Amino acid sequence: MAIVYHEKSKEFHLYNNEISYIIKILDNNQLGNLYYGKRIQDRDDFSHLLKGCLRPLAAYVFENDYTLSLQHTKQEYPSYGTTDFRYPAYEIKQSNGSRITNFLYYSHEIYSGKKKLQGLPATYVEDENEATTLEVTLFDEVIDTSLVLTYSIYEQLPVITRNTKFIHHGNEKIIITKSMSASVDLPDSEYEMLNLAGAWSRERHLKTRRIEQGTQGIYSMTGTSSAEHNPFLVLKRPNTDENIGEAYGFSLIYSGNHLEQVEVDTFNRTRIIIGIHPDTFEWSLQKNEVFQTPEVVLVYSDQGLNKMSQTFHKLYRTRLARGYWRDKPRPVLVNNWEATEMEFTEEKVLQIAKAGKKLGAEMFVLDDGWFGDRDNDKVGLGDWYVNNFDKLPEGIVGLSRKIEEMGLKFGLWFEPEMVNKDSDLYRQHPDWIIATPNRRTSPSRNQYVLDFSREEVVDYIYGLMEKVLGEANISYVKWDMNRYITECYSVGRDSEMQGMNFHQYVLGVYSLYDRLTHRFPNILFESCSSGGARFDPGILYFAPQGWTSDDTDAIERLNIQYGTSYVYPISSMGAHVSAVPNQQVGRITPIETRANVAYFGAFGYELDLNLLSDEEKNKVKEQISFYKKHRELMMKGNYYRLLSPFENQDTAWSVVSDDQSKGIIGYYKVLNVPNDDWKRLKLRGLNQNKQYIINGDPKRIHFGDELMHVGIIIDDDDFCNNSVDFSSSLYVLTEKI
Ligand code: GLA
């Protein structure tokens, strides 16, 4: 059992071989934190780690006792206003107007395994022995409310997950105005903060800053996790790099408004709070009602950022993503969006599919434009049935049959949460959009957001989608979400409940995903949000892959995929080869480089293959067969970042199989340099005693230690003599037996 309770010292020690997390029931019966970091040996009493003394201006919990001032105490789930003046983890408005609370230890339970979270995505176990859980219940007698803090520690991974639940027993209603998933206090502030920031077409670029006294943080108030700030941050020591040093990762399993805030107090202690954004949030609880926060995942690494990311990858790929497709090789698909946008005919898409089939693709995906009167983005969203039989004479049923007859699987695009005013749905239910009475409703991409916080709206959309998916042969769904939420108000809810809308909306999205994935367990869902604006762990629970970005330019993708890899496995990153000049940046890159980048993801094509030259078609054929041969390794291998595009001209990354017998390295030169240096690239994760053959060349056989410590020679031929801008090389390593 990886959690012990020391009765005498009232301390909980959560540990496995790699990490320790120590909680203490303080003298005032609130919960303090004594330590979180690399595994230390257990002992009966760690209370010497608590520090308290008389300090001017400090307020104290007890009279004539200067040991306990909460301002100076590391805590588990702090409140404001009872001697702590830092940002709290929660706040509750009470009927007398007070926001002061006092949750005291009441009981605890330790058990094997990990429970599901009601209505919310979360990591899971397949076997009870994979994790141990501690639930501590605290109680505030004045408001008659319980607070349950839940911690699970994985046995084989340096991972602790946390979530929080309020259960109200009192007769008088309370209003929760803030409830973070976790608060973590660290004893010093020698950290840099890493986070993933961006915008449409340049999502999840890595940002690094030194933390300072005061607050710093990231957030989304868009109604989704957003392209601007992913719900993830890292605190790392200044000397930590990809391969050495300490790093603490925090990732929120949630797809709506979120806040990740780092506060350094003037005594250089650091508090991280992470959870649903408290602005505009209000959740009222009547007697016997419960509020459950999303889960947050804490990963600790003492071996640099690669190890931290590999831990997230393993957890998210195998114990967050679920279902039929979780471990299956993902089909190589051809998507028609960049080829035709909405202007297609059945004949045209069949031609594209046919070319794909000829070159080895396994699935054809019909993107936007097949439903209602959809010929442009002003019309049709919400009408999930075929109206235009000029475009699709036999509807989706007929098209999917024809695609399947070609020997391909068929996939279809939806944007379930949206509506255009020019649609049957809006004409029937104009009050189903999110809009504030007597106020302007702001359009975005000519569309409006359906009020998914209302069950009847979700039910209706489920009905339409269920019919299409049930009638036709559909193996894949691309679920898009192309705008943010404004003027957030629900006419389905009383005025004092309006603070629930944003979160209820997310719960509505999850419930639709849940119903559809249960009804159609074999369909592969790919999430999308104008590219990667909702690429988060919450969605990953339902959709094992997501469209990483609308930017399909290979060079832009280096930044995007590299940044995304800090937390998300490459199996979750939709990555397609598209046409040149690239639609987003106009750049012309070699087709080899486009594939060399896209291989490190869920691979496919996003262009009209018929327009390629014969030579290019041959290359595509080879690329598809290369990917099929190596996709298992790409999906399940350990991924290493080797050269950062955020710090270097060149980029490199690799995957290495668990048994270290195979590896693939991607090296991207980006701009050509005349008469360039000699280059060697130091590899990671190989077995030092194994010999590896590079690209099947019997003249290039090297021990793992040489490849890791001296480095692999970057091909002179490729880069010295024949190089052009945007060139790249792939190295396939196989163990010499
Ligand atoms: C979004 C997606 C694209 C495509 C279009 C269709 O922008 O990110 O991949 O599906 O919508 O309208």
Side-chain angles (χ1 to χ4, degrees):
M1 180 95 48
I3 301 180
V4 289
Y5 178 56
H6 296 291
E7 193 108 30
K8 224 161 148 215
S9 59
K10 297 187 179 168
E11 289 168 7
F12 300 96
H13 189 177
L14 292 67
Y15 63 87
N16 59 25
N17 288 336
E18 298 185 75
I19 51 172
S20 279
Y21 191 106
I22 305 171
I23 301 167
K24 183 178 184 65
I25 303 170
L26 300 170
D27 286 349
N28 70 341
N29 279 329
Q30 292 187 1
L31 288 193
N33 179 285
L34 299 185
Y35 175 71
Y36 169 38
K38 191 173 167 67
R39 158 82 194 267
I40 55 173
Q41 293 189 39
D42 191 36
R43 55 187 281 176
D44 292 341
D45 191 344
F46 283 102
S47 54
H48 53 279
L49 295 174
L50 263 185
K51 289 266 176 278
C53 62
L54 176 61
R55 286 179 192 271
L57 279 180
Y60 290 89
V61 172
F62 302 114
E63 283 187 9
N64 301 321
D65 176 347
Y66 301 117
T67 50
L68 188 57
S69 167
L70 294 172
Q71 178 186 4
H72 296 289
T73 306
K74 291 191 288 140
Q75 294 161 75
E76 283 303 308
Y77 205 66
S79 62
Y80 164 78
T82 58
T83 76
D84 194 351
F85 306 104
R86 292 170 290 176
Y87 275 92
Y90 71 98
E91 188 179 69
I92 298 176
K93 210 160 97 185
Q94 298 146 49
S95 54
N96 67 356
S98 160
R99 291 165 197 250
I100 297 298
T101 54
N102 190 21
F103 282 97
L104 304 181
Y105 171 84
Y106 182 78
S107 65
H108 73 265
E109 193 190 344
I110 296 171
Y111 53 85
S112 297
K114 186 173 187 298
K115 287 184 191 159
K116 280 190 160 181
L117 286 195
Q118 183 67 35
L120 283 164
T123 57
Y124 58 89
V125 291
E126 288 198 331
D127 178 312
E128 286 215 328
N129 297 322
E130 287 178 9
T132 310
T133 297
L134 164 68
E135 278 184 28
V136 185
T137 301
L138 301 113
F139 183 65
D140 182 316
E141 61 178 17
V142 174
I143 52 176
D144 200 359
T145 304
S146 301
L147 162 62
V148 184
L149 300 181
T150 303
Y151 304 77
S152 298
I153 178 164
Y154 276 82
E155 200 68 36
Q156 302 293 342
L157 290 170
V159 170
I160 290 175
T161 65
R162 288 186 56 177
N163 73 78
T164 300
K165 189 163 73 179
F166 285 97
I167 309 167
H168 186 49
H169 318 284
N171 291 323
E172 284 186 23
K173 155 179 117 176
I174 57 168
I175 300 172
I176 301 170
T177 57
K178 177 181 194 179
S179 176
M180 305 308 281
S181 295
S183 172
V184 176
D185 284 348
L186 296 171
D188 67 79
S189 65
E190 291 290 307
Y191 292 106
E192 285 174 353
M193 169 178 151
L194 260 58
N195 61 287
L196 304 174
W200 175 80
S201 252
R202 50 179 174 81
E203 297 91 342
R204 291 175 298 288
H205 283 210
L206 185 69
K207 301 287 164 196
T208 309
R209 75 195 86 178
R210 180 65 207 236
I211 60 169
E212 257 305 342
Q213 292 182 1
T215 55
Q216 42 258 294
I218 51 167
Y219 69 95
S220 166
M221 291 285 285
T222 64
T224 79
S225 49
S226 87
E228 280 69 22
H229 293 291
N230 204 256
F232 166 70
L233 68 78
V234 182
L235 289 188
K236 72 165 193 71
R237 296 297 184 185
N239 65 347
T240 296
D241 63 17
E242 289 294 351
N243 307 309
I244 56 151
E246 278 196 305
Y248 292 85
F250 302 86
S251 166
L252 184 68
I253 304 185
Y254 192 57
S255 311
N257 288 346
H258 59 88
L259 171 70
E260 294 72 26
Q261 182 179 285
V262 179
E263 177 174 6
V264 180
D265 70 16
T266 48
F267 298 88
N268 287 319
R269 292 190 161 189
T270 303
R271 170 171 293 173
I272 302 101
I273 54 173
I274 174 164
I276 295 178
H277 202 302
D279 281 10
T280 76
F281 173 86
E282 276 194 352
W283 202 274
S284 56
L285 290 185
Q286 306 280 358
K287 192 179 172 73
N288 295 330
E289 285 182 343
V290 173
F291 178 72
Q292 170 68 62
T293 72
E295 176 171 285
V296 63
V297 176
L298 279 52
V299 169
Y300 170 80
S301 165
D302 66 338
Q303 292 162 52
L305 296 163
N306 268 325
K307 168 81 185 300
M308 177 202 74
S309 299
Q310 286 168 3
T311 304
F312 275 117
H313 297 171
K314 190 152 198 193
L315 181 74
Y316 283 0
R317 191 174 61 71
T318 66
R319 293 295 180 268
L320 176 65
R322 298 170 306 159
Y324 177 80
W325 284 100
R326 189 187 74 179
D327 301 325
K328 294 246 178 346
R330 306 290 163 67
V332 176
L333 61 85
V334 179
N335 177 305
N336 74 310
W337 177 247
E338 289 200 17
T340 66
E341 299 208 334
M342 296 179 209
E343 284 158 35
F344 57 81
T345 57
E346 184 184 82
E347 202 188 329
K348 175 88 186 159
V349 297
L350 286 174
Q351 273 170 11
I352 297 177
K354 204 167 164 192
K357 172 67 191 166
K358 236 174 124 185
L359 302 178
E362 296 158 311
M363 181 183 285
F364 172 78
V365 177
L366 182 62
D367 211 282
D368 194 353
W370 60 268
F371 49 89
D373 297 321
R374 185 79 162 172
D375 275 326
N376 60 66
D377 64 16
K378 290 196 170 69
V379 53
L381 287 172
D383 298 345
W384 301 109
Y385 36 81
V386 172
N387 266 355
N388 185 344
F389 291 94
D390 289 338
K391 252 183 171 173
L392 297 171
E394 292 182 63
I396 290 298
V397 173
L399 176 64
S400 66
R401 193 193 62 242
K402 290 172 198 168
I403 298 281
E404 287 240 325
E405 280 167 5
M406 274 183 201
L408 288 172
K409 296 285 176 203
F410 178 71
L412 195 59
W413 181 94
F414 287 89
E415 199 180 355
E417 300 149 74
M418 295 295 155
V419 69
N420 289 115
K421 285 196 171 168
D422 189 355
S423 65
D424 295 344
L425 172 55
Y426 185 80
R427 282 183 282 273
Q428 275 164 31
H429 300 286
D431 62 334
W432 276 11
I433 63 169
I434 295 182
T436 301
N438 309 318
R439 301 282 175 193
R440 190 176 52 78
T441 307
S442 309
S444 174
R445 213 201 196 210
N446 301 306
Q447 64 194 52
Y448 298 86
V449 187
L450 287 171
D451 186 356
F452 264 41
S453 74
R454 290 164 66 180
E455 244 176 76
E456 68 269 37
V457 178
V458 176
D459 276 352
Y460 180 85
I461 296 296
Y462 174 79
L464 293 184
M465 290 179 77
E466 201 269 346
K467 188 160 189 296
V468 184
L469 299 176
E471 281 175 359
N473 295 322
I474 296 176
S475 305
Y476 161 109
V477 165
K478 179 174 172 187
W479 178 322
D480 215 334
M481 198 283 185
N482 283 320
R483 66 157 291 177
Y484 293 150
I485 297 175
T486 55
E487 294 88 25
C488 185
Y489 191 96
S490 174
V491 292
R493 194 160 285 116
D494 291 346
S495 55
E496 70 273 17
M497 314 271 260
Q498 291 299 320
M500 301 167 86
N501 292 339
F502 273 119
H503 182 53
Q504 278 291 3
Y505 176 89
V506 177
L507 296 179
V509 172
Y510 290 154
S511 79
L512 183 59
Y513 255 120
D514 201 50
R515 287 169 76 179
L516 289 170
T517 49
H518 276 97
R519 167 76 178 78
F520 301 102
N522 294 345
I523 290 184
L524 171 60
F525 281 80
E526 174 155 347
S527 69
C528 179
S529 177
S530 288
R534 198 168 61 183
F535 198 108
D536 62 59
I539 297 287
L540 194 58
Y541 180 75
F542 302 101
Q545 62 190 58
W547 185 223
T548 318
S549 176
D550 274 349
D551 200 330
T552 51
D553 172 68
I555 304 306
E556 294 300 309
R557 276 291 183 123
L558 292 175
N559 292 315
I560 296 167
Q561 291 176 208
Y562 196 95
T564 305
S565 81
Y566 276 87
V567 62
Y568 303 100
I570 61 173
S571 60
S572 69
M573 298 183 207
H576 299 171
V577 173
S578 63
V580 289
N582 176 267
Q583 273 201 0
Q584 287 74 28
V585 291
R587 190 174 285 136
I588 298 177
T589 52
I591 197 162
E592 290 83 358
T593 294
R594 281 174 269 156
N596 287 348
V597 176
Y599 289 145
F600 291 82
F603 186 70
Y605 288 82
E606 183 106 6
L607 75 176
D608 185 348
L609 292 162
N610 294 298
L611 302 180
L612 298 183
S613 66
D614 286 347
E615 193 192 338
E616 285 173 321
K617 281 184 190 154
N618 283 336
K619 286 184 181 167
V620 168
K621 203 171 173 182
E622 281 167 23
Q623 290 172 353
I624 293 179
S625 78
F626 175 88
Y627 184 73
K628 285 181 182 167
K629 186 167 166 204
H630 297 292
R631 63 182 152 191
E632 185 87 14
L633 169 62
M634 289 293 190
M635 228 182 116
K636 298 183 181 166
N638 296 309
Y639 174 87
Y640 290 87
R641 288 177 298 268
L642 301 173
L643 270 182
S644 168
F646 300 106
E647 290 168 11
N648 304 281
Q649 166 92 30
D650 303 354
T651 299
W653 52 43
S654 69
V655 289
V656 178
S657 63
D658 261 340
D659 67 0
Q660 298 175 308
S661 68
K662 279 181 281 187
I664 301 186
I665 296 100
Y667 184 90
Y668 310 91
K669 166 98 171 170
V670 188
L671 290 184
N672 196 13
V673 176
N675 200 16
D676 201 1
D677 311 343
W678 301 103
K679 287 204 192 307
R680 278 180 183 274
L681 175 69
K682 291 184 184 172
L683 306 186
R684 307 290 310 176
L686 303 176
N687 183 320
Q688 54 179 0
N689 299 317
K690 286 187 177 176
Q691 284 187 299
Y692 295 93
I693 311 172
I694 300 173
N695 288 342
D697 181 351
K699 292 197 288 299
R700 295 186 77 182
I701 300 177
H702 305 276
F703 277 106
D705 57 358
E706 181 191 321
L707 294 173
M708 290 192 290
H709 304 308
V710 186
I712 187 172
I713 295 174
I714 299 302
D715 289 347
D716 299 348
D717 280 354
D718 283 2
F719 290 116
C720 212
N721 306 324
N722 308 320
S723 184
V724 291
D725 281 349
F726 318 126
S727 53
S728 62
S729 249
L730 220 57
Y731 303 95
V732 179
L733 268 48
T734 35
E735 183 186 355
K736 179 176 173 255
I737 314 214

